[in-house]
Amino acid sequence: MIIVFKPKTSEEDVKKIQAKVEEKGLETHLVVGHDVTICGVIGDTTKVDPRDIEVSPSVEKVMRVEQPYKLANRAFHPEDTIVDVDGVKVGGGHMALIAGPCSVESEEQVIAIAKEVKAAGANMLRGGAFKPRTSPYAFQGLGSTGLDYLVAAKKETGLPIVSELMSADDIDEFNEKVDLVQIGARNMQNFTLLKEVGARVKKPILLKRGLSATYQEWIMSAEYIMASGNENVILCERGVRTFETYTRNTLDLQAIPVLRKMTHLPVIIDPSHAGGKWWLVEPMAKASVAAGCDGLLIEVHNDPEHALCDGAQSLKPKKYTKLIEELREIGKVVGKEI
Amino acid sequence: MIIVFKPKTSEEDVKKIQAKVEEKGLETHLVVGHDVTICGVIGDTTKVDPRDIEVSPSVEKVMRVEQPYKLANRAFHPEDTIVDVDGVKVGGGHMALIAGPCSVESEEQVIAIAKEVKAAGANMLRGGAFKPRTSPYAFQGLGSTGLDYLVAAKKETGLPIVSELMSADDIDEFNEKVDLVQIGARNMQNFTLLKEVGARVKKPILLKRGLSATYQEWIMSAEYIMASGNENVILCERGVRTFETYTRNTLDLQAIPVLRKMTHLPVIIDPSHAGGKWWLVEPMAKASVAAGCDGLLIEVHNDPEHALCDGAQSLKPKKYTKLIEELREIGKVVGKEI
Amino acid sequence: MIIVFKPKTSEEDVKKIQAKVEEKGLETHLVVGHDVTICGVIGDTTKVDPRDIEVSPSVEKVMRVEQPYKLANRAFHPEDTIVDVDGVKVGGGHMALIAGPCSVESEEQVIAIAKEVKAAGANMLRGGAFKPRTSPYAFQGLGSTGLDYLVAAKKETGLPIVSELMSADDIDEFNEKVDLVQIGARNMQNFTLLKEVGARVKKPILLKRGLSATYQEWIMSAEYIMASGNENVILCERGVRTFETYTRNTLDLQAIPVLRKMTHLPVIIDPSHAGGKWWLVEPMAKASVAAGCDGLLIEVHNDPEHALCDGAQSLKPKKYTKLIEELREIGKVVGKEI
Amino acid sequence: MIIVFKPKTSEEDVKKIQAKVEEKGLETHLVVGHDVTICGVIGDTTKVDPRDIEVSPSVEKVMRVEQPYKLANRAFHPEDTIVDVDGVKVGGGHMALIAGPCSVESEEQVIAIAKEVKAAGANMLRGGAFKPRTSPYAFQGLGSTGLDYLVAAKKETGLPIVSELMSADDIDEFNEKVDLVQIGARNMQNFTLLKEVGARVKKPILLKRGLSATYQEWIMSAEYIMASGNENVILCERGVRTFETYTRNTLDLQAIPVLRKMTHLPVIIDPSHAGGKWWLVEPMAKASVAAGCDGLLIEVHNDPEHALCDGAQSLKPKKYTKLIEELREIGKVVGKEI
């Protein structure tokens, strides 16, 4: 961390700030120039908020050099984290191929889709039981019953289950029924939920990126979960909000190589939510694999036109099967087995 | 709602879509042109998601004409809503003057500040007890103890208390101790919390705008609370995220006249969080009053340089006192009593 | 400027970077910590691009402390700049009250409007002759003829003329006919035009903020004009692009106090373009004056429903007259004579 | 185009609006519902600005159904456009492999790089002679001399030349020396330049996307060029501005499949500018090919650490050579010959 003083700050005022910082167990080093005095701060600065120092009238600017996260930091954990989802490995070269309907609608539906995506090559089944909807009048999901249908589908196919958790009240049920617990984009900074999930969820977590979140904010949310006790976090890019309205969101594939540098956690891509249109899924899934992702979360529905939710962005099983075949070829080129 | 069909769609396909829509109790009216067929849909369309119709291969585009919210809609409730916060009226010409520290730090601190802001003219006391922080290593607030200090300050001053609720688990305590329950920007789309708050909180709600939320998304979140049973909602603009990094966020004062058209709920402004710098509070508070807001939420701290949180954006009590005096003059010009 | 080296960078590599920087006539000061080495750079760093140093494999990050502009910088020019527009002063307490139609349509129209806005209190007349339109099929303005109509209106009313320059080819004509030369938002980073304008335009410049420009980028564009020879620049905030689509753009009034700190140039507000709706002009104009702006640019049209361009955001003369009266009252409160 | 009237609009007012629209040679069709009256407008609506109708007090909303562009529209030109750049075909399965330095620095430099990129497989040479820089104090390019060096490099290698045009004054020189004339992101809405380029440039145009431009705005800029006489336009995605500051911009690869639907023009990708870091080029180039782009514009420099501009995002020739080999393999999977 670097503190830049205002021109002509008195020696005394500089010392006051140094003392304030050193109280927190940090070291300070001064550089005194003709016009500007600068103070380098060395030590664990994660607990210092630059704005709390900037409030002093003698301080011009405080700049953070170090990342404000530790557990998720690649610098302190150079090896790729490999997350185990009920036997399916994700990260470090292992690909998560997660597929299924946006919403669970019936036992028959979800079992039928599960069988088809498994045959296509998927290794996990997703399905929404508790649904975050922007309108209180929209279908809110089947809830517990939906989870039971997913469990039934797992019995038939063996595919581990991925589903979104919206309330800490449901943690016990998710611990029992779900294999990979998703935290949705709109809850990425629901810090209460993140802490509870870190402390009480016994399964790995799939943390979606917030709609307007920066990489650092996203990793800080992973850090919340990890600092609370659960280090098995998978990050999922699902598009960010931009001025473009033709697509639902703009998929940010630079996230893949950048997060690889910043963190050791696996990074997967959800091309279905990003674009919001089924015909964008295929080219974006291919691009994601080419860019080196650790997995794909894709909506598949056997009857998209009558889906209760997000049919517009769902692939039919046949298209998914063909897609996986093509991804396999791209995977070969970039050294990923699909 | 208007459905535009793709060129050359068969009559049969058009009828299928009409049937699908009419099933939901809506009326349809066709316009058949040379190149384009258009279908007007009339009735309560709040339960229809345009994307669920757009998924059909014969549909080009579905456009909503009506607003997707009812309870918060000015069209169905032309009178301004006046919210009563333990005797203090907000809306319809009545101004909320809410002030206090970002975080409650001690009983002495909060009582001292409460007395000063009351003397200055404030009619409610704010103070954070449960704090949403982007870092798990930052000060997270005093929790219940913090609320007790606020209650003590209310005993001394009579000022109703405003504080942020982060978890549905704390609702009973907030019902007992807090007079206006704040939902923070990062929880604006925490739909589980919104429903619980609507159903169980017996006090009015202060709903902050999400960092990248549109007006409609924000009102839909108010609609969640109202549809769940609590119609006493005050909206609070606190800046939106833009590319500008000099300020914390960009304060959107157009929100005041626009929301006045869209909804009957009161709209107040938080200039402290928006700019993130104390010297922006004064000009922005004046601008807010000139633009016709129903109140102001301002951070006041007796020792900003040693505040545990957000000192940089807090006014000292003297500056707040002077500000209120100036606002009073502007209020006179625009017909608001301060 | 501060250079942060990667952990374990060799002394030799550090010296190489120091030498590279010192070559440009700058001084360097090292801080060597346990883990991190930091180098403070002192001197005129405006010619150094941080990214050119960051490219070195031994460098972690380069951070600028100083502003990259000089001529527009308040730090080197503490007094407010007062720009003289054919006798009308702008800045340092003097308000520009610019009004007129989006597009000049006929001599009668522009003379009629000019008389009305003058009577209301306006001190400059605006009118578009060369129009930037997003569609090649939209009305592109009357060009030179439009300027002649404005000149005729000036003859009748004495109001100095404000109009947008889109091409360096028209500079001679603008020097002859126009008193305040506007550079539009979409040309804010048309660097060729900025240089030509700085070198050859003999009248003051009104520089609009780009749709997604930061304060610093905007000031850098002013710096381009000033460094090329014309220091009479007025900045005009006209809204920035956000995710909100209800309004045309989001008006950023924090720009007023922030630019006051960053630069000595006058700052005026265009509430008509920002909101894109006439009924937003009144509250936003009041807010702008309350926040301390140096002037207002407002679209006034005698027949908005039949305007060839942007009628939706134009005030009728009567409404403008009433608005000026109300602004005068707010001006009194904040110490500005209107 | 669809016009929605306000509830209870009189028949007379509706007829007035119909008349206004029909004057422009368009047909209108009314739908009269209980609460809402809607008017469908059929015909060539490119010359109608929805806001000009919305200004009427009886109109609630005007929505465009048709695209506002014709020449660039895939609907009226279903075949892919293939642009011929001095013998090198781009589009319709033909890939542009454009490489070279950000800035031309010397004849030796550009010839050396040209030879290396040609050997690697590049089929065009890029080099900046006129440089758009945000600071007036930054290196602005070698200008005409730079173009001459590029011509020399073409003599040696046969590679067609790509360079950015910043001023209409330079069109004659560009017609003589340059094979593909680039319009930069910051000039995407410099409508004066677009018209001049359309009317007078005899070579194909490479139109970069503006930093915050939507797809439609971008295509409208292409339409400007086409409507002025030059239909050989190639679109180049180079990243859009988002809140992420770790990367220079966010590369939007959904642009590839979406533009494929909207327009028949070729779409190429510039991964160097998007990310601003050389190590992002490789994964993003692969992703671009996998997503189906028509070409890549990549910065290659023989000594990035001493480049006069944008060294941080330039590949060394060896890395470029290796990248092309890998892209060739991905090309095989998606049916593109590289």
Side-chain angles (χ1 to χ4, degrees):
Chain A
M1 186 170 282
I2 287 161
I3 302 169
V4 183
F5 290 92
K6 287 203 179 135
K8 296 174 195 167
T9 297
S10 72
E11 220 175 293
E12 202 193 319
D13 283 341
V14 169
K15 276 189 185 152
K16 265 193 217 161
I17 298 290
Q18 281 184 284
K20 187 173 168 181
V21 169
E22 287 169 0
E23 258 172 39
K24 307 195 182 193
L26 299 162
E27 259 179 69
T28 64
H29 294 265
L30 275 194
V31 187
V32 182
H34 289 293
D35 303 313
V36 185
T37 298
I38 289 166
C39 176
V41 179
I42 288 160
D44 175 5
T45 59
T46 50
K47 289 177 196 179
V48 184
D49 183 341
R51 299 176 71 247
D52 290 343
I53 299 169
E54 253 170 12
V55 67
S56 161
S58 56
V59 173
E60 176 73 36
K61 216 177 178 176
V62 179
M63 294 176 287
R64 200 182 266 288
V65 176
E66 324 76 10
Q67 307 285 17
Y69 49 92
K70 291 179 290 187
L71 301 171
N73 200 331
R74 171 76 74 174
F76 306 130
H77 186 307
E79 301 289 299
D80 284 354
T81 281
I82 298 174
V83 173
D84 185 306
V85 182
D86 198 29
V88 176
K89 289 188 170 127
V90 183
H94 304 276
M95 292 283 281
L97 295 168
I98 309 172
C102 176
S103 288
V104 174
E105 295 167 16
S106 71
E107 190 168 329
E108 298 67 43
Q109 170 229 30
V110 75
I111 290 179
I113 296 175
K115 284 179 176 171
E116 298 211 65
V117 299
K118 188 185 181 182
N123 54 19
M124 291 188 223
L125 174 67
R126 61 147 291 157
F130 298 88
K131 301 293 305 169
R133 303 301 298 270
T134 47
S135 167
Y137 310 118
F139 174 57
Q140 310 271 321
L142 295 181
S144 288
T145 313
L147 293 185
D148 291 335
Y149 296 164
L150 287 165
V151 170
K154 184 180 178 186
K155 254 185 213 149
E156 290 274 338
T157 61
L159 292 176
I161 292 169
V162 186
S163 200
E164 178 169 350
L165 175 77
M166 288 181 66
S167 167
D169 291 348
D170 301 327
I171 288 180
D172 290 341
E173 189 175 358
F174 272 66
N175 271 333
E176 192 191 319
K177 299 177 182 170
V178 172
D179 300 294
L180 177 59
V181 175
Q182 179 176 317
I183 301 299
R186 287 176 178 77
N187 276 324
M188 192 201 85
Q189 293 197 321
N190 177 347
F191 301 118
T192 304
L193 185 62
L194 298 179
K195 285 190 229 176
E196 292 278 330
V197 159
R200 295 172 42 214
V201 170
K202 294 173 172 30
K203 307 295 180 70
I205 306 300
L206 184 69
L207 180 65
K208 289 207 157 188
R209 182 182 189 176
L211 278 81
S212 298
T214 62
Y215 300 141
Q216 184 176 299
E217 287 167 344
W218 187 12
I219 296 177
M220 286 306 282
S221 290
E223 185 87 4
Y224 251 100
I225 298 170
M226 297 170 87
S228 306
N230 188 334
E231 302 211 352
N232 293 303
V233 179
I234 298 171
L235 300 169
C236 179
E237 158 70 24
R238 43 76 74 214
V240 290
R241 192 166 253 198
T242 65
F243 302 133
E244 187 54 63
T245 54
Y246 187 100
T247 48
R248 191 170 185 171
N249 290 115
T250 295
L251 187 64
D252 174 13
L253 292 182
Q254 290 176 343
I256 300 169
V258 171
L259 289 175
R260 198 71 81 216
K261 288 234 166 191
M262 295 174 85
T263 181
H264 50 87
L265 300 172
V267 180
I268 74 168
I269 304 293
D270 173 354
S272 307
H273 270 88
K277 296 181 194 291
W278 67 266
W279 50 271
L280 287 171
V281 173
E282 180 225 305
M284 290 304 108
K286 288 177 178 173
S288 302
V289 170
C293 70
D294 295 310
L296 288 162
L297 181 70
I298 291 178
E299 292 193 4
V300 177
H301 196 285
N302 45 7
D303 185 11
E305 288 185 45
H306 295 94
L308 292 180
C309 158
D310 282 346
Q313 65 199 33
S314 297
L315 291 190
K316 290 188 187 168
K318 257 196 194 162
K319 279 211 185 330
Y320 181 71
T321 304
K322 193 168 160 287
L323 173 61
I324 293 289
E325 283 161 18
E326 293 170 332
L327 295 179
R328 200 163 278 143
E329 295 306 306
I330 294 177
K332 279 178 196 163
V333 178
V334 297
K336 294 255 166 135
E337 198 178 331
I338 291 176
Chain B
M1 186 171 281
I2 289 160
I3 301 169
V4 183
F5 290 93
K6 288 205 177 131
K8 295 171 195 169
T9 297
S10 73
E11 221 175 294
E12 201 194 321
D13 283 340
V14 169
K15 278 190 183 151
K16 265 193 217 161
I17 297 289
Q18 282 185 284
K20 187 174 167 180
V21 169
E22 288 168 359
E23 258 173 39
K24 309 196 181 193
L26 299 162
E27 260 181 68
T28 64
H29 295 264
L30 273 194
V31 187
V32 183
H34 289 292
D35 303 313
V36 184
T37 297
I38 289 166
C39 177
V41 179
I42 289 160
D44 175 5
T45 59
T46 50
K47 290 180 196 178
V48 183
D49 183 343
R51 300 177 69 248
D52 289 344
I53 299 168
E54 252 171 14
V55 66
S56 161
S58 57
V59 173
E60 175 73 36
K61 217 175 178 177
V62 179
M63 293 175 287
R64 199 182 267 286
V65 175
E66 324 76 12
Q67 307 287 16
Y69 49 91
K70 291 180 291 190
L71 301 171
N73 201 332
R74 171 76 74 173
F76 305 130
H77 186 307
E79 302 289 301
D80 284 352
T81 281
I82 298 175
V83 173
D84 185 306
V85 182
D86 198 28
V88 176
K89 289 188 171 130
V90 184
H94 303 277
M95 292 282 282
L97 295 169
I98 309 172
C102 177
S103 287
V104 174
E105 294 168 18
S106 72
E107 192 169 327
E108 296 68 43
Q109 172 229 28
V110 76
I111 290 179
I113 296 175
K115 285 179 176 170
E116 299 212 62
V117 300
K118 189 184 180 185
N123 54 18
M124 291 189 222
L125 173 68
R126 59 147 293 157
F130 298 88
K131 302 294 305 170
R133 303 300 299 269
T134 47
S135 167
Y137 309 119
F139 174 58
Q140 310 270 321
L142 295 180
S144 287
T145 312
L147 293 184
D148 290 334
Y149 296 163
L150 287 164
V151 170
K154 185 181 178 185
K155 256 185 213 149
E156 291 273 339
T157 61
L159 292 177
I161 291 169
V162 186
S163 201
E164 179 169 351
L165 174 78
M166 289 180 66
S167 167
D169 291 349
D170 301 326
I171 288 179
D172 290 340
E173 189 176 357
F174 272 66
N175 272 334
E176 191 192 320
K177 300 178 183 170
V178 172
D179 300 296
L180 176 58
V181 176
Q182 178 176 318
I183 300 299
R186 289 179 176 76
N187 276 325
M188 193 202 84
Q189 292 197 321
N190 177 347
F191 302 118
T192 305
L193 184 62
L194 297 179
K195 285 190 228 175
E196 291 279 329
V197 159
R200 295 172 44 213
V201 171
K202 292 171 175 31
K203 308 296 180 70
I205 306 300
L206 183 69
L207 179 65
K208 289 208 156 187
R209 181 182 189 176
L211 278 81
S212 299
T214 62
Y215 300 140
Q216 184 176 298
E217 288 166 344
W218 186 13
I219 296 177
M220 287 306 281
S221 289
E223 186 88 3
Y224 252 100
I225 297 170
M226 297 170 87
S228 305
N230 188 335
E231 302 212 352
N232 293 303
V233 179
I234 299 172
L235 300 170
C236 179
E237 158 70 23
R238 42 77 71 213
V240 290
R241 193 167 254 197
T242 64
F243 302 132
E244 187 54 65
T245 55
Y246 186 100
T247 48
R248 191 170 186 171
N249 289 115
T250 296
L251 187 65
D252 174 13
L253 292 183
Q254 290 177 343
I256 300 169
V258 171
L259 290 174
R260 199 71 81 215
K261 288 235 166 192
M262 297 173 84
T263 180
H264 50 85
L265 300 173
V267 180
I268 73 168
I269 304 294
D270 173 354
S272 307
H273 270 87
K277 297 181 195 290
W278 67 266
W279 50 271
L280 288 171
V281 173
E282 182 226 304
M284 290 304 107
K286 289 178 178 173
S288 302
V289 171
C293 70
D294 294 312
L296 288 163
L297 181 69
I298 292 179
E299 293 193 4
V300 176
H301 197 286
N302 44 7
D303 184 11
E305 289 185 43
H306 295 94
L308 292 179
C309 157
D310 281 347
Q313 67 199 32
S314 296
L315 290 191
K316 289 187 188 169
K318 257 194 196 164
K319 280 210 184 334
Y320 182 69
T321 304
K322 192 166 160 286
L323 173 60
I324 293 291
E325 283 161 18
E326 293 171 332
L327 295 179
R328 200 163 280 141
E329 296 306 305
I330 294 177
K332 281 177 194 162
V333 178
V334 297
K336 293 255 166 133
E337 198 179 331
I338 289 176
Chain C
M1 185 171 281
I2 287 161
I3 302 168
V4 183
F5 290 92
K6 289 205 177 131
K8 294 174 196 167
T9 297
S10 72
E11 221 175 294
E12 202 193 320
D13 283 341
V14 169
K15 277 189 182 153
K16 266 193 215 160
I17 298 289
Q18 281 184 285
K20 187 173 168 181
V21 169
E22 288 169 359
E23 257 173 38
K24 307 195 181 191
L26 299 162
E27 259 179 69
T28 63
H29 295 264
L30 275 194
V31 186
V32 183
H34 289 294
D35 302 314
V36 184
T37 297
I38 289 166
C39 176
V41 179
I42 289 162
D44 175 5
T45 59
T46 51
K47 289 178 196 180
V48 183
D49 184 342
R51 299 176 69 248
D52 289 344
I53 298 168
E54 253 171 14
V55 66
S56 161
S58 56
V59 174
E60 175 73 35
K61 217 176 177 177
V62 179
M63 294 177 285
R64 200 182 265 288
V65 176
E66 322 77 11
Q67 307 285 15
Y69 50 91
K70 290 179 293 189
L71 301 171
N73 200 331
R74 171 76 74 175
F76 306 130
H77 186 308
E79 301 290 301
D80 284 354
T81 280
I82 298 175
V83 173
D84 184 305
V85 183
D86 198 28
V88 176
K89 289 189 171 127
V90 184
H94 304 276
M95 292 283 282
L97 295 169
I98 309 172
C102 176
S103 287
V104 174
E105 294 168 17
S106 73
E107 191 169 326
E108 296 67 44
Q109 170 230 28
V110 76
I111 289 178
I113 295 175
K115 285 180 175 170
E116 299 212 64
V117 299
K118 189 183 179 183
N123 54 18
M124 290 188 224
L125 174 67
R126 60 147 292 156
F130 298 89
K131 301 294 307 168
R133 302 300 300 269
T134 47
S135 167
Y137 309 119
F139 174 57
Q140 310 271 320
L142 295 181
S144 288
T145 311
L147 292 185
D148 290 336
Y149 295 163
L150 286 165
V151 170
K154 185 182 178 184
K155 255 184 212 149
E156 291 273 339
T157 60
L159 292 177
I161 292 169
V162 187
S163 200
E164 178 170 350
L165 174 78
M166 289 181 66
S167 167
D169 292 349
D170 301 327
I171 287 179
D172 290 341
E173 190 176 358
F174 272 66
N175 271 333
E176 193 190 320
K177 300 177 182 170
V178 173
D179 300 295
L180 177 59
V181 176
Q182 178 177 318
I183 301 299
R186 287 178 176 77
N187 276 325
M188 193 201 83
Q189 292 197 321
N190 177 347
F191 301 116
T192 304
L193 185 62
L194 297 180
K195 285 190 228 177
E196 291 278 330
V197 159
R200 295 172 43 213
V201 171
K202 292 172 176 29
K203 307 295 180 70
I205 306 300
L206 184 69
L207 179 66
K208 289 207 157 188
R209 181 182 189 175
L211 279 81
S212 299
T214 62
Y215 301 139
Q216 184 177 300
E217 288 166 345
W218 187 12
I219 296 177
M220 287 305 282
S221 289
E223 185 87 3
Y224 252 101
I225 296 170
M226 297 170 88
S228 305
N230 188 335
E231 301 211 352
N232 293 302
V233 179
I234 299 170
L235 300 169
C236 179
E237 158 70 24
R238 42 76 73 213
V240 291
R241 192 166 255 199
T242 64
F243 302 132
E244 186 54 65
T245 54
Y246 187 100
T247 48
R248 192 169 185 172
N249 289 115
T250 296
L251 187 64
D252 174 13
L253 292 183
Q254 290 178 163
I256 300 169
V258 171
L259 289 174
R260 198 70 81 215
K261 287 234 167 193
M262 296 175 84
T263 180
H264 49 87
L265 301 172
V267 180
I268 73 169
I269 303 294
D270 173 354
S272 307
H273 270 87
K277 297 183 194 290
W278 68 267
W279 50 271
L280 287 171
V281 173
E282 182 225 305
M284 289 304 109
K286 289 178 178 172
S288 301
V289 171
C293 70
D294 295 310
L296 288 163
L297 181 70
I298 290 178
E299 293 193 4
V300 176
H301 197 285
N302 44 8
D303 185 11
E305 288 185 45
H306 296 94
L308 292 179
C309 157
D310 282 347
Q313 66 200 32
S314 296
L315 290 191
K316 289 187 188 170
K318 258 195 195 162
K319 279 211 184 332
Y320 181 69
T321 304
K322 191 165 160 289
L323 172 60
I324 293 291
E325 283 161 17
E326 293 171 331
L327 295 180
R328 200 163 281 143
E329 295 306 305
I330 293 177
K332 281 178 195 162
V333 178
V334 298
K336 294 254 166 136
E337 198 178 331
I338 290 177
Chain D
M1 185 170 283
I2 289 160
I3 302 169
V4 183
F5 290 92
K6 288 206 177 129
K8 296 172 194 167
T9 296
S10 73
E11 220 175 295
E12 202 193 321
D13 284 339
V14 168
K15 275 188 185 153
K16 266 193 216 160
I17 297 288
Q18 282 185 284
K20 186 174 167 180
V21 168
E22 288 169 359
E23 259 173 38
K24 308 195 181 195
L26 299 162
E27 260 179 69
T28 64
H29 295 264
L30 275 193
V31 187
V32 183
H34 290 294
D35 304 312
V36 184
T37 298
I38 288 166
C39 176
V41 179
I42 288 160
D44 175 6
T45 59
T46 52
K47 289 178 197 180
V48 184
D49 184 342
R51 299 176 69 248
D52 289 344
I53 299 168
E54 253 171 11
V55 67
S56 162
S58 56
V59 173
E60 175 74 35
K61 215 175 178 179
V62 180
M63 293 176 286
R64 198 182 266 290
V65 176
E66 326 76 9
Q67 307 286 15
Y69 49 91
K70 292 179 291 189
L71 300 171
N73 201 332
R74 171 76 74 173
F76 306 130
H77 187 306
E79 301 290 300
D80 285 352
T81 280
I82 297 174
V83 174
D84 185 305
V85 183
D86 198 30
V88 176
K89 287 185 173 134
V90 183
H94 304 276
M95 292 283 281
L97 295 168
I98 310 173
C102 176
S103 286
V104 174
E105 294 168 17
S106 73
E107 192 168 327
E108 298 67 43
Q109 172 229 28
V110 75
I111 291 179
I113 295 174
K115 284 179 174 169
E116 298 211 65
V117 300
K118 189 184 179 180
N123 54 19
M124 290 189 223
L125 174 67
R126 60 147 291 157
F130 298 88
K131 301 293 306 169
R133 301 301 298 271
T134 48
S135 168
Y137 309 118
F139 175 57
Q140 310 270 321
L142 294 180
S144 288
T145 313
L147 293 185
D148 291 335
Y149 295 163
L150 286 165
V151 170
K154 184 181 179 184
K155 256 184 211 152
E156 290 273 339
T157 60
L159 292 177
I161 292 169
V162 186
S163 201
E164 179 170 349
L165 175 78
M166 288 181 66
S167 167
D169 292 349
D170 302 326
I171 288 180
D172 290 341
E173 190 176 357
F174 272 67
N175 271 334
E176 193 191 318
K177 300 177 181 170
V178 172
D179 300 295
L180 177 59
V181 176
Q182 178 177 319
I183 301 299
R186 287 178 177 76
N187 276 324
M188 193 201 85
Q189 292 196 321
N190 177 346
F191 301 118
T192 305
L193 185 62
L194 298 179
K195 286 190 227 176
E196 291 280 327
V197 159
R200 293 171 45 213
V201 171
K202 292 171 173 33
K203 308 297 180 69
I205 307 299
L206 183 70
L207 179 65
K208 288 207 157 187
R209 182 182 189 176
L211 277 81
S212 299
T214 62
Y215 300 140
Q216 184 175 300
E217 288 167 344
W218 187 13
I219 296 177
M220 286 307 280
S221 289
E223 185 87 4
Y224 252 99
I225 297 170
M226 297 170 87
S228 306
N230 189 334
E231 302 211 351
N232 292 304
V233 179
I234 299 171
L235 300 170
C236 179
E237 157 71 22
R238 42 77 72 214
V240 291
R241 192 167 254 198
T242 65
F243 302 132
E244 187 54 63
T245 54
Y246 187 100
T247 49
R248 191 170 185 170
N249 290 115
T250 296
L251 188 64
D252 173 13
L253 293 182
Q254 289 176 343
I256 300 169
V258 171
L259 290 174
R260 199 71 82 216
K261 287 236 166 189
M262 296 175 85
T263 180
H264 49 87
L265 300 172
V267 180
I268 74 169
I269 304 293
D270 173 354
S272 307
H273 270 86
K277 297 182 195 289
W278 67 264
W279 51 271
L280 287 171
V281 173
E282 182 225 305
M284 289 304 108
K286 288 178 179 172
S288 302
V289 170
C293 71
D294 294 311
L296 288 162
L297 181 69
I298 291 178
E299 292 194 5
V300 177
H301 197 286
N302 44 9
D303 185 11
E305 288 185 44
H306 296 93
L308 292 179
C309 157
D310 282 348
Q313 67 199 33
S314 297
L315 290 190
K316 290 189 186 167
K318 257 194 195 163
K319 280 211 183 330
Y320 181 71
T321 305
K322 191 166 161 288
L323 172 61
I324 293 291
E325 282 161 18
E326 293 171 332
L327 295 179
R328 200 163 279 141
E329 295 306 304
I330 293 177
K332 279 178 196 163
V333 178
V334 296
K336 293 256 166 132
E337 198 179 330
I338 291 176

